[in-house]
Amino acid sequence: MRVWIVFVLCLAGHAMAAPTEEEAIVDELVTEEPVVEVGANPVQIEVGEFDEAIDIGEEVEEVAAEDLCLNYHCKKGKVCEVDEGNTPMCVCQDPSTCPPAEGDFEHVCGTDNKTYDSSCHFFATKCTLEGTKKGHKLHLDYVGPCKFIEPCLDTELNEFPLRMRDWLKNVLVTLYERDQDNNLLTEKQKLRVKKIHENEKRLQAGPHSLDLLAHDFEKNYNMYIYPVHWQFGQLDQHPVDGYLTHTELSPLRAPLIPMEHCTTRFFEKCDADDDKYIALEEWAACFGLKEQDVDKDLII
Ligand SMILES: *[C@@H]1O[C@H](CO)[C@@H](O)[C@H](O)[C@H]1NC(C)=O
Ligand SMILES: [Ca+2]
Ligand SMILES: [Ca+2]
């Protein structure tokens, strides 16, 4: 079973903070409760929600004839059907067969700035547009209904990586602290995070002034190298190739946009060569890492 990670972004005071004790639950998915609470801070974010969007291919496994669809996986927006020749295949899901949304929190906003009832409705609709230019350009933009998002000013854009970097470091340290039986981190990862954890000069989680964050980055630069790589590795999964597609970036980007109006601009700028992929080198540069510190081996 997939492990779902609920991160909490506490954005009060315009600061990204690490998850607090009760709020960040790392758990197997056992409930179907609303996972994204928009409105009151802190906002819970279900990072697992969007990785279904990833094309996992249409793989066939040996199954008993009676249920050929049982182990036949279709990407989100498609469902399995058996054709006349008894061959299972993935076909577009009819959006009307999606479970009805239980509230606004299930709504998603597409890059067409249209609100869809749920991510199921979104992907089913996207599937019907497959092969068209419109379908190719349509992505899930963010969670929640479409809304007006303030333009991101240049000064704000420059502040964004400072807070994001600090937040990544805190997420990782928090995972480490709760890792006793969950095995969220591999032994190798734990060793690396242990060093950050033991750093006495480490800034505690919580809102910090931008000056302090900038100062800390300069002073404790080495401490930030691993968290930036780690996050890239978390996202670069389908496939693991050193590049992030829009879909791979979605688990991070989609919940962040409604709260952080510079998110879109930040990730657009990250793709420095504008090829629609964020390469590890581009990602690292976005977070202020030096070229010589980009290391593919840190990810595995
Ligand atoms: C997107 O839709 C929202 C809500 O309908 C609207 O307020 C906003 O201005 C739109 N944004 C763009 C970029 O058109
Ligand atoms: Ca990839
Ligand atoms: Ca690129």
Side-chain angles (χ1 to χ4, degrees), residues 55-254:
D55 191 348
I56 49 176
E58 300 174 7
E59 63 193 52
V60 192
E61 291 182 34
E62 298 238 332
V63 287
E66 54 270 29
D67 204 345
L68 291 157
C69 274
L70 197 62
N71 287 318
Y72 196 78
H73 302 287
C74 296
K75 67 173 177 174
K76 207 164 179 181
K78 292 192 173 191
V79 286
C80 176
E81 267 178 20
V82 180
D83 71 2
E84 309 88 62
N86 253 351
T87 312
M89 55 192 281
C90 293
V91 296
C92 286
Q93 180 173 8
D94 179 350
S96 67
T97 64
C98 288
E102 285 172 27
D104 273 9
F105 61 86
E106 282 193 47
H107 293 352
V108 298
C109 183
T111 45
D112 54 357
N113 201 34
K114 271 199 196 136
T115 301
Y116 296 81
D117 277 4
S118 68
S119 58
C120 174
H121 290 86
F122 172 82
F123 288 110
T125 307
K126 182 171 159 69
C127 184
T128 63
L129 296 170
E130 219 166 64
T132 66
K133 209 170 158 194
K134 200 172 155 199
H136 186 70
K137 283 200 332 220
L138 180 62
H139 294 286
L140 192 157
D141 201 15
Y142 54 89
V143 296
C146 299
K147 58 177 192 177
F148 174 72
I149 292 181
E150 263 177 80
C152 167
L153 306 176
D154 289 349
T155 47
E156 295 171 319
L157 186 62
N158 295 335
E159 296 165 0
F160 189 82
L162 290 172
R163 290 183 291 119
M164 177 104 183
R165 207 157 47 200
D166 188 53
W167 177 72
L168 286 179
K169 180 195 69 188
N170 291 329
V171 166
L172 207 47
V173 169
T174 307
L175 281 182
Y176 174 81
E177 285 169 351
R178 299 156 192 252
D179 205 20
Q180 294 91 343
D181 358 272
N182 291 313
N183 282 317
L184 301 163
L185 300 174
T186 64
E187 290 308 314
K188 223 169 155 184
Q189 289 174 325
K190 279 185 211 170
L191 277 178
R192 295 195 193 278
V193 185
K194 191 163 182 260
K195 283 193 203 140
I196 303 174
H197 190 252
E198 284 168 357
N199 184 337
E200 282 170 18
K201 284 175 269 157
R202 176 169 59 92
L203 286 182
Q204 292 307 308
H208 296 293
S209 74
L210 294 166
D211 284 348
L212 184 59
L213 291 176
H215 178 76
D216 191 59
F217 181 61
E218 212 172 285
K219 280 265 170 207
N220 295 304
Y221 171 79
N222 285 328
M223 193 166 65
Y224 290 90
I225 296 175
Y226 184 64
V228 170
H229 282 79
W230 172 80
Q231 180 65 73
F232 188 90
Q234 293 293 299
L235 298 171
D236 181 23
Q237 298 286 337
H238 305 275
V240 183
D241 58 1
Y243 295 91
L244 299 182
T245 60
H246 193 287
T247 306
E248 284 177 306
L249 192 57
S250 213
L252 180 67
R253 191 181 171 277

Side-chain angles (χ1 to χ4, degrees), residues 243 270-279 282:
Y243 295 91
C270 257
D271 178 19
D273 63 3
D274 201 24
D275 68 351
K276 309 291 171 219
Y277 297 94
I278 298 181
E282 291 175 322

Side-chain angles (χ1 to χ4, degrees), residues 1 7 20 41 45-46 51 53 57 100 121 164 171 211 221 239 242 266:
M1 197 192 267
F7 285 140
T20 58
N41 283 331
I45 284 163
E46 179 95 32
D51 56 4
H121 290 86
M164 177 104 183
V171 166
D211 284 348
Y221 171 79
F266 176 74

